[in-house]
Structures are given as C-alpha cells and as structure tokens.
Amino acid sequence: MNIFTKIIKEKLSLPERGIENTLQLLDEGCTIPFISRYRKERTGGLDEIQIENIQEWNDRLKEIRKRKETVVKTITDLGKMTEELQRRIDNCWDVTALEDLYLPYKPKRRTRAQIAREQGLGPLAQIILLQREQQVDHVARRFLKGDIKDVASAIKGAQDIIAEIISEDERCRRQLRFSFKREAVITARVVKGKEKTEEAAKYSDYFDCSEPLRRCSGNRLLAMRRAEKEGILKVSISIDNEEAVERLKRFFVKGYGSCQKLVAEAVEDAYKRLLFPSIENEFATLSKQKADEEAIDIFKKNLRQLLLQAPLGQKRVIGLDPGIRTGCKVVCLDEQGNLLHHEVVFPYGPKGNERIASERVGALVRQYHAEAVAVGNGTAGRSTRDLISQQLKDKAIPVFEVSEDGASVYSASKVAREEFPNEDVTVRGAVSIARRLMDPLAELVKIDPRSMGIGQYQHDVDQSQLKKSLDMTVESCVNLVGVNVNTASESLLTYVSGLGPALAKNIINYRTENGPFKSRVALKKVPRLGNAAFTQCAGFLRIPGSRNPLDNSSVHPESYPIVEQMARDENCSVHELIANRQRRASINLQRYVTQGIGLPTLQDIMKELEKPGRDPRAEIEMFEYDTRVRTMEDLQVGMVLPGIITNITKFGAFVDIGIHHDGLVHISQLTDRFVSDPTDIVSLHQHVQVKVIEIDKIRNRISLSMKV
C-alpha cells in the first residue's frame, strides 16, 4: 500500500482497493462522473462524493509532498540537514507539523534575534538558556564589542535570541495551539464612530459580542469578518494570556535565579511579540477556512437542487419579463427553445392598459400554439402572472412564475450575445426566463452560479475553492441527467465528462456543418475527439432517433456487445428486448459476468433498459400564492401561507410568500426535532406551508415557522 492510499484510508475509512483503483483512474485522466457510473467494479461501487473526497485528499497530499521537497532543499542548502530531521520530514504529512519543523530554518526578514546573532551574542544566549551561571552580568561583559556598549544591551540581545528560539519550539507551538483549540474566544467590537452609520446597521448584533471560537457558527464568523473588512468591526481571538505564559515557562524555566528570571522574561516577550500573533493568525485562518467550507457546502447543495429542479420539457413556451415603466417583454419560443417572435406590451404605468396587454398575450398564445407561459418573478411578476392566468383560464394553458435571478447577468454575457447578436438585453433576458421553465439545467449552466441568488456570504469565501466546487457540482448534475448532443448548447456540452470548452465548440461546429449526429460512433468524426475523450463522454451524450436505441440511453458503448448478446440469447432484437419486460426478467445476469464487467454494471444496464434515457428529475408542479397577501401590510401573525424555498443557509431557509420580501424559517422552526443541517429537511424551490410568527416592518424582516 502506497503512503497516499494509507493516509486516505485512515482519513476517509474507505476500502484500500477502491482507493488505489480510484487514484489510478484519476491519474489516467478519468472524470469523477465517469468513474462513479462506469467503473464500479474497480472502485467497489464508490459514489461521486466518496471519489471527490479521495481526489481532494490526493491533491492535498501532492501539495504537501511538493512543499516537503522545498523544505528539504532549503535546509540541505543551509548545510543543517540531519538524518533525524530528514526522517521526521519524510514521515510528516501534516502541513502544520511540517511548517513547525521548517520554522527554525525558514528564510525570514532581518529579525532582532538575527541582529543579535550578527553581534556575536549567540553564545551568551545559550549560557543564559542553560541557566547554570550565577554571575550573568560578569559573563556578559565578555561580549561588549562593536554596537554592544553595555551589559544591559548584551543581555537584551541574548534575550531576543532566546525569545525567537522559544517561538520556534515545537512543544510551545503545540501547547499554545491546544490552548487556542480548547479556550479561544472570538470578540467583536464596533469601531468608534461607526455604530450609527447606515452601513453598520445590519451588523448591530455584533457591535459588542463574544463567544467561544469553537462554537461560533460559520455564518456568524463570516459576517464578523466581512464587517471587519468594511471597517465597521474590530475582531480578535484571545485566550487567558497569563495562564498561557505560565504553561510555556514550564518548558524553559528551571528553578530560581538571575538566569531563570531572564529566561522567564524572554518567554513573556516570545509569547506577546511572536507566538501569540502567529497562533492567533493561524486560528483566524483556520476558522475562516472552516466557515468557507461550511458556506461552500451549503452553496453546492443549493446549486444542485436548483439545477435539478423539474423541467417542463420540450414544449412551445411564451416568456414574459415584467416591467412597469418599460413594459413587459414578451418572447415566443418553439419546442427547441428557438426565438420565433418578440414584442413589448404595457399593462402598467400611465399609458398602460391591462386588458389590451393581456389580450395581446392571449393572441400570441393562439398564434404560436404555446403550451405554457413563463413569467419572471421580479417587479410586478405576481401581478403579471395573475393577469395572464385570468386571460388564459378557459384555455388550460398553465402559467408559471420563474426565478429571474441571474437573467440580467446572462443577457449581458458573451454567451447571450453569441446566441442573439441582433437582440437587446431585454429580449435575451425574457428568453432565458422561458428556457428556464423548459429545462432549468440547460439554461442555468450558462450563468455564473454566484449570480443565482443562492448560498450565503459567497463573495467572502475563498473564490478559487468556491469556483472549483461549483464547477464540479454543475458537471455532476449535467452528467446525471445526460445531454442531447443534437440540441445542447456549447455551454452545456462543456460540462459533459471528458469534453471541456474546446471539444464542446468542435462538436457544435461539426453539427452545424454536417447536420445532426446519427449515432454515438459518429462523434469520433469530431476533430480532436479521440478514443480517450469518446470513452469519457459517450455514455452521457444522447442521440434520440438513432438506429441503435442504446444511443439514447446511459448504457456505455463499451457495454453494447453484452446487451446485443442478451438479445441474441433471447432470440430478439435490442429494440424488442427493451420493449419486452418479460424477456428482460428472464435474463440471468450471472451468465454475463466477465473479468471486466460485474454485477453492478449489469444491474445498471438492466435498470436503464427499463426506460432508456429517463430523466431523473421530478415532474413539474404548479404553485399558487395566498390571494389574501400581496404586501407586508397584509401580513398578520398567525397566518398560515403557502411559500417556495428560495435559499437555504446554515441557520435556516428563506421562503417567498408572494410579497417581495422573503421570510426566514430559522433552523429551530423547521421541525419539532433537532436539526443540524437545514438541507436535511428542505430543498430549494420546495413548496411549503409556513406560519407567520413575527413581523419587523422597520427592518423588513418576517419570521416564519414550518411547525404548522
């Protein structure tokens, strides 16, 4: 077992063989969706989350290995490497412990200790540190030369050296970390003069607060750090300084005497000037990283639910982007999402006429044979939806309210300009709203997830880690659902396993020049799409209407021969095998187990043959707000109202009840039992019943409960 496998096994408690094979597959360039779906025999059936964790630990260990190489080279070049130190570095796979080993040798700015050493005070520091000399002043006189004019200066320089030695001592750093871990307190205080400013009002809960760092929730910590960055709060982390210093003295102060007193003073100096700031900064960083991970995890879960929300499907849709002064932008799309027509109607404003506007939309529904209407949920969204619903009430045409979050970002993006070079941003935004109803996943992949109105403190967390996590989430969702290669946009194809931007563009260009793909094997004709890329992507791309029905399923081409053999054994075609449940039920899968394909893959194949190309997403549902409530003035404590979950955070869920001010269901109000993670109870865009328990009109805050 190699060292990486051993460490990952200890950290994740996963089977050794599965870890080794997963690392091998990752090194071969396989993607996580491909490994989890098509290499179950090699991984032992590890899921995407487990494989992602293995990949993260593998990347982390590679970084540590790279850092160790730098550490070894630096110490060796200094001529200070020993067999014992080399052994300790070789066996160290904890980045904090590694940095502690490296600290005494790490190149640093010119310190007080370094200056003292240059003045020849190193031997005096060692004499004092040994604490055997009774006449320190007498000994110190031997070191009076150059800039050292008196005994006091000599002793002070020696103490600077001792303080640095103490600050770099592994035992001291471990002890102080233990103290911080056990008793650190995070404190926030408002900066004088800022307490009455408008921008500070939202941080009023933190103007004078203090709590144990280990109990400080991620969202509270991120709020404090944001306010600190904005100059509103002063945030610090502290422990009992006197007790901490006394603990450190036990490592260095031996008995009583003049040397012992000097060493004790050096310990105090080391703590105040070097050790405490270093460990405080370390814990500030660690707590921020933990809060980031918490926030990113919530963001990932929200994004996954958003991308996998129920699609309407390939139907002709009319989209409306409501507006008051500039009117409502109306677009008409065909089943493929192509723009057929657009115009503006004016139901509101001084010159508006609700009857004329709604009748015009009704006429467009008839003219373009629309099967549904999508209305943006922004300004006047609810009023517009009610208006159009009333107009179409006798025609059984459903009218849906669709989230506008990120539509303006898309409409001004390069992707939108390439799709609609001759249309303005208002038309593009309305198209996006309509397409979101048809297929949320296909449309939302074109938008930066950070613009979708989900998550918490998304601009305060590590942006590179956030982007990496969100990209992986999008990739997972796209490959879970599968992609119709003949209708997919370049943005959607980019996230397909094994493709990426270059191959996605090549597929679009080939499709434009040669027409729709007739089979999966035809993908190999795409420039630069070789065997390796084909293996990774083929199972996730769908070809409806292909002569081979397996081309429109998640059955991988490498497994086609097995399905064909099953059909031959049943004396039928593959089409007939898919259509006949009894034939499939009579198949003994054990007959088809080979060295490369085991029961997990065979069972997946049989499940797919039941309904080839099935969409794992739920069926779309209609939703209606309570007609009694349109503004905050209409709310009363005790009301029970229908709502839609719009965002989930670590401290609860926000719910749209139709008044343009989302209410908060605190985590304690989600259910009667204890909840550690709101995503265990609710999901994004879930339809819920909530009770109004508090209304704060001054701050526009509504407190809700799901304990109805």
Side-chain angles (χ1 to χ4, degrees):
M1 186 192 315
N2 68 49
I3 187 63
F4 280 21
T5 301
K6 181 180 178 182
I7 294 171
I8 295 172
K9 181 182 178 182
E10 290 173 357
K11 297 293 183 181
L12 302 179
S13 300
L14 295 175
E16 176 187 330
R17 178 174 170 272
I19 295 170
E20 281 188 346
N21 287 340
T22 298
L23 292 176
Q24 210 171 51
L25 289 164
L26 289 169
D27 285 342
E28 291 169 6
C30 297
T31 67
I32 292 176
F34 175 80
I35 295 170
S36 65
R37 183 176 293 188
Y38 296 117
R39 291 297 180 263
K40 290 181 178 178
E41 283 77 12
R42 289 185 64 180
T43 67
L46 297 179
D47 60 31
E48 280 195 8
I49 294 175
Q50 291 169 321
I51 295 169
E52 183 180 335
N53 289 337
I54 290 172
Q55 184 185 53
E56 286 178 358
W57 268 104
N58 187 45
D59 291 343
R60 193 179 307 176
L61 292 172
K62 284 181 177 178
E63 284 298 314
I64 294 175
R65 183 171 62 189
K66 187 176 178 182
R67 180 62 174 161
K68 285 165 73 171
E69 291 171 358
T70 301
V71 168
V72 169
K73 184 178 186 306
T74 302
I75 298 175
T76 302
D77 289 347
L78 290 171
K80 296 184 178 181
M81 181 60 74
T82 65
E83 289 185 11
E84 172 62 16
L85 182 56
Q86 181 71 62
R87 182 188 63 78
R88 294 188 67 190
I89 293 172
D90 289 343
N91 294 331
C92 180
W93 291 98
D94 178 85
V95 69
T96 302
L98 177 63
E99 293 303 326
D100 279 354
L101 288 172
Y102 183 39
L103 189 57
Y105 313 97
K106 188 175 183 179
K108 51 180 77 76
R109 290 179 299 175
R110 199 158 179 262
T111 63
R112 282 160 50 172
Q114 188 175 345
I115 294 170
R117 287 191 180 97
E118 292 170 359
Q119 292 170 335
L121 296 174
L124 178 59
Q126 290 300 320
I127 291 170
I128 295 173
L129 200 51
L130 287 171
Q131 301 169 61
R132 296 172 184 169
E133 186 59 56
Q134 298 300 317
Q135 302 292 329
V136 181
D137 289 0
H138 179 72
V139 174
R141 286 192 182 93
R142 287 187 254 154
F143 296 88
L144 300 182
K145 58 180 179 179
D147 292 336
I148 308 300
K149 305 295 185 184
D150 53 54
V151 169
S153 298
I155 291 175
K156 185 65 181 70
Q159 284 183 302
D160 287 341
I161 295 173
I162 294 170
E164 187 168 277
I165 291 171
I166 292 168
S167 74
E168 294 175 348
D169 186 87
E170 290 178 67
R171 297 169 303 167
C172 290
R173 300 182 77 81
R174 278 199 302 267
Q175 174 62 55
L176 198 51
R177 284 193 190 100
F178 178 77
S179 298
F180 265 81
K181 188 174 182 180
R182 186 180 59 183
E183 61 188 61
V185 171
I186 185 168
T187 301
R189 298 281 186 270
V190 66
V191 174
K192 191 174 181 180
K194 292 283 188 177
E195 59 271 14
K196 295 183 179 179
T197 59
E198 188 176 335
E199 60 267 23
K202 58 186 174 183
Y203 300 115
S204 58
D205 292 343
Y206 306 102
F207 281 1
D208 186 10
C209 72
S210 184
E211 63 182 300
L213 181 62
R214 67 178 185 275
R215 293 181 188 165
C216 183
S217 64
N219 58 282
R220 285 178 61 80
L221 189 139
L222 289 173
M224 284 187 247
R225 291 301 183 189
R226 177 190 286 181
E228 181 183 41
K229 194 174 181 179
E230 293 175 3
I232 294 167
L233 296 181
K234 174 65 177 173
V235 182
S236 62
I237 298 173
S238 61
I239 58 174
D240 186 325
N241 292 328
E242 289 185 12
E243 189 175 333
V245 169
E246 289 305 313
R247 291 193 192 110
L248 298 183
K249 284 180 180 178
R250 294 170 197 160
F251 292 122
F252 290 95
V253 181
K254 310 299 180 185
Y256 302 93
S258 57
C259 283
Q260 284 82 353
K261 182 182 178 182
L262 293 174
V263 172
E265 290 173 356
V267 170
E268 293 173 3
D269 178 47
Y271 176 82
K272 182 179 180 180
R273 183 168 55 87
L274 302 171
L275 267 172
F276 179 83
S278 173
I279 303 301
E280 181 193 20
N281 185 60
E282 187 177 301
F283 270 74
T285 300
L286 288 172
S287 60
K288 172 65 165 54
Q289 288 175 348
K290 183 180 177 183
D292 283 1
E293 289 169 4
E294 191 177 278
I296 289 171
D297 185 57
I298 287 283
F299 204 136
K300 283 168 56 180
K301 290 177 179 176
N302 284 351
L303 178 60
R304 186 174 187 85
Q305 292 167 2
L306 183 66
L307 294 177
L308 294 180
Q309 61 185 304
L312 178 68
Q314 291 187 319
K315 298 181 184 294
R316 298 172 77 88
V317 172
I318 285 182
L320 283 88
D321 184 0
I324 296 177
R325 183 179 60 82
T326 57
C328 293
K329 277 62 71 179
V330 185
V331 295
C332 305
L333 309 185
D334 67 13
E335 297 90 335
Q336 307 301 325
N338 297 312
L339 178 62
L340 304 175
H341 172 79
H342 67 84
E343 62 180 79
V344 180
V345 297
F346 293 87
Y348 314 114
K351 299 180 181 179
N353 187 303
E354 290 187 356
R355 181 183 61 80
I356 293 174
S358 63
E359 286 178 355
R360 179 56 187 156
V361 173
L364 291 173
V365 167
R366 293 189 297 274
Q367 181 179 350
Y368 290 96
H369 308 290
E371 299 169 83
V373 176
V375 180
N377 70 341
T379 303
R382 184 175 175 187
S383 300
T384 304
R385 179 191 169 184
D386 291 345
L387 182 66
I388 303 305
S389 295
Q390 182 65 26
Q391 175 66 30
L392 301 176
K393 65 180 180 180
D394 298 327
K395 298 179 175 57
I397 304 293
V399 181
F400 297 88
E401 196 163 341
V402 178
S403 172
E404 290 184 5
D405 287 329
S408 59
V409 174
Y410 161 77
S411 63
S413 69
K414 180 183 177 184
V415 173
R417 292 195 300 272
E418 289 176 349
E419 282 192 286
F420 302 104
N422 301 318
E423 309 298 345
D424 66 21
V425 292
T426 61
V427 174
R428 297 172 193 156
V431 170
S432 181
I433 290 168
R435 286 178 172 177
R436 289 183 192 197
L437 176 63
M438 298 169 69
D439 190 340
L441 176 61
E443 191 62 22
L444 293 175
V445 294
K446 303 172 185 176
I447 304 169
D448 186 335
R450 291 169 290 188
S451 304
M452 294 182 188
I454 56 175
Q456 62 183 102
Y457 300 103
Q458 62 197 53
H459 299 295
D460 300 284
V461 303
D462 184 308
Q463 294 300 296
S464 61
Q465 186 59 42
L466 176 63
K467 185 178 187 311
K468 179 182 175 183
S469 297
L470 298 184
D471 283 348
M472 290 179 71
T473 301
V474 176
E475 181 183 29
S476 172
C477 293
V478 168
N479 290 288
L480 174 67
V481 173
V483 172
N484 181 341
V485 72
N486 286 324
T487 60
S489 67
E490 185 179 324
S491 300
L492 190 59
L493 287 169
T494 296
Y495 288 101
V496 172
S497 169
L499 293 184
L503 285 177
K505 190 172 189 65
N506 289 353
I507 288 174
I508 295 293
N509 291 340
Y510 184 90
R511 192 175 74 192
T512 302
E513 294 169 7
N514 299 279
F517 291 92
K518 299 293 193 297
S519 66
R520 275 176 171 163
V521 73
L523 289 164
K524 292 185 176 182
K525 296 178 182 178
V526 174
R528 303 187 69 181
L529 202 159
N531 289 330
F534 178 80
T535 299
Q536 293 292 307
C537 73
F540 303 102
L541 296 174
R542 308 281 185 266
I543 317 271
S546 171
R547 292 179 60 185
N548 188 338
L550 299 179
D551 283 349
N552 194 35
S553 74
S554 66
V555 177
H556 198 281
E558 64 189 8
S559 296
Y560 285 9
I562 291 176
V563 180
E564 291 162 358
Q565 184 60 51
M566 289 177 179
R568 284 194 295 271
D569 292 345
E570 292 297 317
N571 296 314
C572 66
S573 66
V574 172
H575 281 92
E576 291 169 331
L577 186 66
I578 292 171
N580 194 314
R581 186 177 180 182
Q582 290 182 332
R583 287 185 186 275
R584 297 196 306 275
S586 67
I587 294 174
N588 178 8
L589 294 183
Q590 291 289 352
R591 292 178 55 192
Y592 302 97
V593 173
T594 65
Q595 190 173 0
I597 297 181
L599 277 177
T601 295
L602 292 170
Q603 289 166 348
D604 283 350
I605 289 171
M606 295 308 293
K607 190 183 294 184
E608 184 64 13
L609 293 181
E610 290 177 17
K611 192 178 179 183
R614 65 189 179 285
D615 195 320
R617 294 172 289 183
E619 295 286 330
I620 197 167
E621 296 178 358
M622 292 290 294
F623 175 82
E624 296 289 342
Y625 292 112
D626 192 306
T627 55
R628 297 173 298 165
V629 175
R630 289 185 173 274
T631 69
M632 189 171 280
E633 306 301 322
D634 300 326
L635 289 179
Q636 295 179 16
V637 172
M639 275 186 165
V640 176
L641 306 168
I644 300 176
I645 304 286
T646 57
N647 196 9
I648 302 173
T649 68
K650 196 65 178 177
F651 54 85
F654 288 92
V655 181
D656 178 6
I657 53 176
I659 64 170
H660 277 295
H661 291 293
D662 289 356
L664 173 66
V665 180
H666 188 266
I667 190 170
S668 62
Q669 294 294 327
L670 289 172
T671 183
D672 289 323
R673 61 182 175 83
F674 173 76
V675 178
S676 60
D677 185 348
T679 57
D680 292 337
I681 304 297
V682 292
S683 58
L684 211 62
H685 287 195
Q686 178 182 342
H687 299 174
V688 294
Q689 291 286 317
V690 292
K691 179 190 287 186
V692 180
I693 58 176
E694 186 179 347
I695 305 167
D696 183 345
K697 293 182 180 179
I698 296 175
R699 294 194 291 179
N700 283 330
R701 291 184 178 179
I702 307 161
S703 297
L704 305 171
S705 174
M706 285 176 53
K707 300 176 183 179
V708 296

